Amino acid sequence: RHFYIPYGTGGSTAKGRVYTEDEDQFLLVQLAHIGIGCDDVYDRIRQEVRLSPLFRFGWFIKSRNTQEIQRRCQTLVGLLQKEAQIK
């Protein structure tokens, strides 16, 4: 399934690099699948990114550390919450 991520004017950047929509969607799906309340959720998401054939050549996403994955997931969840409040 395809869903819309309301980026707004800030875009999808991380220190000048851009996360793709596919990467962002993968992170959100994994966050939902593993569970946001799980203690090691971001470590597990990072492992899933590294194992996924979708990112075989995705060096940017594969090189993100756990804290960067966590920060990106929190940003995406915040964007979705903000969008839900508007509707």
Side-chain angles (χ1 to χ4, degrees):
R1 289 177 87 175
H2 186 69
F3 56 90
Y4 172 72
I5 300 171
Y7 291 114
T9 58
S12 57
T13 62
K15 295 183 182 178
R17 275 302 301 257
V18 177
Y19 284 90
T20 67
E21 193 169 348
D22 288 339
E23 291 166 345
D24 284 345
Q25 288 180 358
F26 184 87
L27 293 175
L28 287 171
V29 168
Q30 290 302 315
L31 186 62
H33 177 73
I34 296 168
I36 200 164
C38 185
D39 288 338
D40 61 345
V41 63
Y42 302 110
D43 288 322
R44 290 173 61 184
I45 291 173
R46 182 172 181 247
Q47 189 65 22
E48 290 298 325
V49 166
R50 291 174 158 233
L51 295 175
S52 175
L54 294 172
F55 307 117
R56 181 175 172 194
F57 300 109
W59 303 116
F60 175 71
I61 188 74
K62 287 174 79 171
S63 67
R64 301 301 90 194
N65 63 37
T66 303
Q67 291 79 23
E68 290 168 318
I69 296 286
Q70 178 180 2
R71 211 170 20 242
R72 186 61 187 167
C73 287
Q74 289 173 343
T75 298
L76 292 170
V77 168
L79 288 171
L80 294 174
Q81 287 175 336
K82 190 180 209 181
E83 179 74 9
Q85 289 175 354
I86 292 172
K87 292 183 177 182

